[in-house]
Coordinates of all heavy atoms in Angstrom, one line a residue:
M174 N -20.2 -5.9 -9.1 CA -20.0 -5.3 -7.9 C -18.6 -5.1 -7.4 O -18.2 -4.1 -6.8 CB -20.9 -5.9 -6.8 CG -22.4 -5.6 -7.0 SD -23.5 -6.4 -5.8 CE -23.7 -7.9 -6.7
V175 N -17.9 -6.2 -7.7 CA -16.5 -6.2 -7.3 C -15.7 -5.0 -8.2 O -15.0 -4.2 -7.5 CB -15.8 -7.5 -7.6 CG1 -14.2 -7.4 -7.4 CG2 -16.3 -8.6 -6.7
N176 N -16.0 -5.0 -9.4 CA -15.4 -3.9 -10.2 C -15.9 -2.5 -9.7 O -14.9 -1.6 -9.7 CB -15.9 -4.1 -11.7 CG -15.0 -5.0 -12.4 OD1 -13.8 -5.0 -12.4 ND2 -15.6 -5.9 -13.2
Q177 N -17.1 -2.3 -9.4 CA -17.5 -1.1 -8.9 C -16.8 -0.6 -7.7 O -16.4 0.6 -7.5 CB -19.0 -1.0 -8.7 CG -19.9 -1.1 -9.9 CD -21.3 -1.4 -9.7 OE1 -21.8 -1.2 -8.5 NE2 -22.0 -2.0 -10.7
L178 N -16.6 -1.5 -6.7 CA -15.9 -1.2 -5.5 C -14.4 -0.9 -5.8 O -13.9 0.0 -5.2 CB -16.0 -2.3 -4.5 CG -17.4 -2.5 -3.8 CD1 -17.5 -3.8 -3.1 CD2 -17.6 -1.3 -2.8
V179 N -13.8 -1.6 -6.6 CA -12.4 -1.4 -6.9 C -12.2 0.0 -7.6 O -11.3 0.7 -7.3 CB -11.8 -2.6 -7.9 CG1 -10.4 -2.2 -8.3 CG2 -11.8 -3.9 -7.0
E180 N -13.1 0.2 -8.6 CA -13.0 1.5 -9.3 C -13.2 2.7 -8.4 O -12.7 3.8 -8.6 CB -14.0 1.5 -10.5 CG -13.6 0.6 -11.6 CD -14.7 0.4 -12.6 OE1 -15.8 1.1 -12.5 OE2 -14.6 -0.4 -13.5
A181 N -14.0 2.5 -7.2 CA -14.1 3.6 -6.3 C -13.0 3.7 -5.3 O -13.0 4.5 -4.4 CB -15.4 3.3 -5.5
G182 N -12.0 2.8 -5.4 CA -10.7 2.9 -4.7 C -10.7 2.1 -3.5 O -9.8 2.2 -2.6
N183 N -11.6 1.0 -3.4 CA -11.6 0.2 -2.2 C -10.8 -1.2 -2.5 O -10.6 -1.6 -3.5 CB -13.1 -0.3 -1.9 CG -14.0 0.9 -1.6 OD1 -13.8 1.6 -0.6 ND2 -14.9 1.3 -2.5
I184 N -10.4 -1.7 -1.3 CA -9.8 -3.1 -1.4 C -11.0 -4.1 -1.2 O -11.8 -3.8 -0.3 CB -8.8 -3.2 -0.2 CG1 -7.7 -2.2 -0.3 CG2 -8.2 -4.7 -0.2 CD1 -6.9 -2.1 1.0
V185 N -11.0 -5.0 -2.0 CA -12.1 -6.0 -2.1 C -11.7 -7.4 -1.8 O -10.7 -7.9 -2.4 CB -12.9 -6.0 -3.4 CG1 -14.1 -6.9 -3.3 CG2 -13.3 -4.5 -3.7
I186 N -12.3 -8.1 -0.9 CA -12.1 -9.5 -0.6 C -13.3 -10.3 -1.2 O -14.4 -10.1 -1.0 CB -12.0 -9.8 0.9 CG1 -11.0 -9.0 1.5 CG2 -11.8 -11.3 1.1 CD1 -11.2 -8.8 3.0
T187 N -13.0 -11.2 -2.2 CA -14.0 -11.9 -3.0 C -13.5 -13.3 -3.3 O -12.5 -13.7 -3.0 CB -14.3 -11.1 -4.3 OG1 -15.4 -11.6 -5.0 CG2 -13.1 -10.9 -5.2
V188 N -14.4 -14.0 -4.1 CA -14.2 -15.4 -4.4 C -13.6 -16.2 -3.2 O -12.8 -17.0 -3.3 CB -13.5 -15.7 -5.7 CG1 -14.3 -15.2 -6.9 CG2 -12.1 -15.1 -5.7
G189 N -14.1 -15.9 -2.0 CA -13.5 -16.6 -0.8 C -13.8 -18.0 -0.9 O -14.8 -18.6 -1.2
G190 N -12.8 -18.9 -0.6 CA -12.8 -20.3 -0.8 C -13.1 -20.7 -2.1 O -13.5 -21.9 -2.4
G191 N -12.7 -19.9 -3.1 CA -13.0 -20.2 -4.5 C -14.3 -19.8 -5.0 O -14.7 -19.9 -6.1
G192 N -15.1 -19.2 -4.0 CA -16.6 -18.8 -4.3 C -17.5 -19.9 -3.9 O -17.2 -21.1 -3.8
I193 N -18.8 -19.5 -3.6 CA -19.8 -20.5 -3.3 C -20.1 -21.2 -4.6 O -20.7 -20.5 -5.5 CB -21.0 -19.9 -2.7 CG1 -20.6 -19.1 -1.4 CG2 -22.0 -20.9 -2.3 CD1 -21.6 -18.2 -0.9
P194 N -19.9 -22.5 -4.8 CA -20.3 -23.1 -6.1 C -21.8 -23.2 -6.4 O -22.5 -23.6 -5.5 CB -19.6 -24.5 -6.0 CG -18.8 -24.5 -4.8 CD -19.4 -23.5 -3.8
V195 N -22.2 -22.7 -7.5 CA -23.6 -22.7 -7.8 C -23.8 -23.1 -9.2 O -22.9 -23.0 -10.1 CB -24.4 -21.3 -7.6 CG1 -24.4 -20.9 -6.1 CG2 -23.7 -20.3 -8.4
V196 N -25.0 -23.8 -9.5 CA -25.2 -24.2 -11.0 C -26.4 -23.4 -11.4 O -27.3 -23.0 -10.6 CB -25.4 -25.8 -11.1 CG1 -24.2 -26.4 -10.8 CG2 -26.5 -26.2 -10.2
E197 N -26.6 -23.2 -12.7 CA -27.7 -22.4 -13.2 C -28.9 -23.5 -13.5 O -28.6 -24.6 -14.1 CB -27.4 -21.7 -14.5 CG -26.3 -20.6 -14.2 CD -25.8 -19.9 -15.4 OE1 -25.5 -20.6 -16.4 OE2 -25.7 -18.6 -15.4
S198 N -30.1 -23.1 -13.1 CA -31.2 -24.0 -13.3 C -32.4 -23.1 -13.8 O -32.3 -21.9 -13.8 CB -31.6 -24.8 -12.1 OG -32.2 -23.8 -11.2
A199 N -33.5 -23.7 -14.2 CA -34.6 -23.0 -14.6 C -35.1 -22.2 -13.5 O -35.8 -21.2 -13.7 CB -35.7 -24.0 -15.1
D200 N -34.9 -22.5 -12.2 CA -35.4 -21.7 -11.1 C -34.3 -20.8 -10.5 O -34.5 -20.2 -9.4 CB -35.8 -22.7 -10.0 CG -37.0 -23.6 -10.5 OD1 -37.9 -23.1 -11.2 OD2 -36.9 -24.8 -10.1
G201 N -33.3 -20.6 -11.3 CA -32.2 -19.8 -10.8 C -31.0 -20.5 -10.4 O -30.8 -21.6 -10.6
L202 N -30.1 -19.8 -9.5 CA -28.9 -20.4 -9.0 C -29.2 -21.4 -7.9 O -30.0 -21.1 -7.0 CB -27.9 -19.3 -8.7 CG -27.5 -18.4 -9.8 CD1 -26.6 -17.3 -9.2 CD2 -26.8 -19.1 -10.9
K203 N -28.5 -22.5 -8.0 CA -28.6 -23.5 -6.9 C -27.2 -23.9 -6.4 O -26.4 -24.3 -7.2 CB -29.3 -24.8 -7.4 CG -30.7 -24.5 -8.0 CD -31.7 -24.2 -6.9 CE -33.1 -24.1 -7.6 NZ -34.1 -23.7 -6.5
G204 N -27.0 -23.9 -5.1 CA -25.8 -24.3 -4.5 C -25.5 -25.8 -4.6 O -26.5 -26.6 -4.6
V205 N -24.2 -26.2 -4.8 CA -23.9 -27.6 -5.0 C -22.7 -27.9 -3.9 O -21.9 -27.0 -3.7 CB -23.4 -27.9 -6.4 CG1 -24.6 -28.0 -7.2 CG2 -22.4 -26.9 -6.9
A206 N -22.7 -29.0 -3.4 CA -21.7 -29.5 -2.5 C -20.3 -29.7 -3.2 O -20.1 -30.8 -3.7 CB -22.1 -30.7 -1.8
S207 N -19.5 -28.7 -3.1 CA -18.2 -28.8 -3.8 C -17.3 -27.6 -3.3 O -17.9 -26.7 -2.6 CB -18.3 -28.8 -5.3 OG -19.0 -27.7 -5.8

Side-chain angles (χ1 to χ4, degrees):
M174 282 176 275
V175 174
N176 272 319
Q177 289 169 22
L178 284 168
V179 173
E180 287 169 8
N183 300 290
I184 300 166
V185 183
I186 302 158
T187 181
V188 296
I193 304 164
V195 294
V196 294
E197 293 175 320
S198 74
D200 298 320
L202 299 175
K203 303 288 184 183
V205 288
S207 59

